[in-house]
């Protein structure tokens, strides 16, 4: 499946929060992400990502291993995504290191997730704050097959507009790049 997703900088977080709460009940979670690459940076060169994410929620903690293939839609940065839940985060970190992958960056995201249906699609909206980056972000995504990326992104844009997000608020800036820039400043 492809994660048809758009990300925006939120100009009015309280308004967006209120509009999301009208659609669904939010779930507060803290993500601890560690991104891996081979020693030569081969995944980054191929526009691929390998991530271990531990999610701390109000009721549980879970860990997910994710591999993202290269971008299939340049305007949005949407990528095919393969994800699986893992039982033992420490074991997965050890396996990746044993296979020659090295941690490139690790950081925390404070999220509030909303799952709802809009325009006939299951959508996930995530309000994001990264302590090391100024501002609030909104990610809106839906999972689709290859041939549905363009119409799905049209639907995502329409829902973003309903949430008060303008086209000029959209960004392709990666949290990883922003955190690296902040740490090296």
């Amino acid at each position: 499946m492809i994660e048809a997703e758009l990300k925006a900088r939120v100009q009015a977080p309280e308004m967006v929060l209120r509009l999301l709460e009208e659609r669904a009940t939010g779930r507060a979670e803290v993500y601890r992400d560690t991104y891996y690459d081979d020693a030569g940076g081969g995944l980054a060169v191929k526009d691929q990502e390998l991530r271990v994410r531990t999610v701390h929620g109000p009721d549980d903690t879970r860990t997910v291993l994710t591999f993202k293939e290269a971008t299939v839609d340049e305007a949005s940065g949407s990528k095919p995504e393969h994800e699986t839940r893992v039982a033992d985060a420490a074991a997965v970190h050890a396996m990746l290191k044993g296979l020659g992958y090295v941690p490139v960056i690790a950081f925390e995201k404070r999220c509030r997730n909303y799952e709802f249906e809009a325009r006939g699609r299951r959508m996930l909206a995530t309000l994001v704050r990264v302590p090391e980056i100024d501002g609030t972000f909104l990610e809106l995504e839906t999972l689709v097959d290859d041939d549905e990326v363009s119409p799905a992104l049209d639907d995502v844009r329409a829902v973003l507009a309903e949430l008060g997000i303008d086209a000029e608020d959209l960004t392709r800036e990666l949290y990883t790049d922003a955190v690296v820039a902040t740490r090296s400043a």
Side-chain angles (χ1 to χ4, degrees):
M1 298 294 285
I2 295 174
E3 185 181 81
E5 175 182 14
L6 292 171
K7 179 169 66 173
R9 283 191 169 271
V10 178
Q11 305 303 320
E14 296 79 18
M15 180 194 72
V16 172
L17 179 64
R18 181 179 49 76
L19 292 170
L20 285 169
E21 290 287 339
E22 290 173 3
R23 291 179 181 258
T25 301
R27 184 179 68 253
E29 297 179 318
V30 175
Y31 297 179
R32 292 217 163 85
D33 290 351
T34 302
Y35 286 81
Y36 285 86
D37 204 336
D38 60 42
L43 292 176
V45 167
K46 294 184 280 187
D47 188 32
Q48 298 172 331
E49 298 173 44
L50 181 59
R51 178 186 70 211
V52 177
R53 170 175 284 166
T54 299
V55 179
H56 301 277
D59 302 320
D60 70 339
T61 296
R62 64 191 183 282
T63 299
V64 180
L65 175 65
T66 304
F67 172 67
K68 293 186 180 189
E69 295 182 45
T71 301
V72 296
D73 180 85
E74 285 302 319
S76 67
S78 295
K79 296 180 168 199
E81 182 175 299
H82 310 281
E83 195 166 75
T84 190
R85 192 168 177 166
V86 296
D88 186 339
V92 170
H93 286 287
M95 286 180 218
L96 292 174
K97 290 174 185 173
L99 290 168
Y101 292 101
V102 294
V104 177
I105 191 166
F107 60 93
E108 181 178 285
K109 291 169 55 175
R110 296 178 186 156
C111 302
R112 189 159 185 83
N113 293 297
Y114 298 85
E115 295 182 54
F116 55 88
E117 189 163 318
R119 302 187 168 269
R121 299 181 189 278
R122 294 291 313 147
M123 297 211 179
L124 173 64
T126 305
L127 272 174
V128 178
R129 295 261 318 136
V130 177
E132 296 177 74
I133 304 171
D134 287 333
T136 299
F137 297 86
L138 177 63
E139 302 170 9
L140 184 62
E141 68 184 59
T142 186
L143 293 175
V144 296
D145 292 322
D146 292 352
D147 59 343
E148 279 290 304
V149 173
S150 184
L153 287 170
D154 289 342
D155 290 339
V156 168
R157 281 183 193 89
V159 173
L160 285 171
E162 293 168 8
L163 295 171
I165 303 296
D166 296 324
E168 57 268 10
D169 297 327
L170 297 178
T171 181
R172 289 242 1 241
E173 178 182 25
L174 300 175
Y175 300 120
T176 51
D177 293 345
V179 169
V180 166
T182 299
R183 290 179 183 174
S184 63

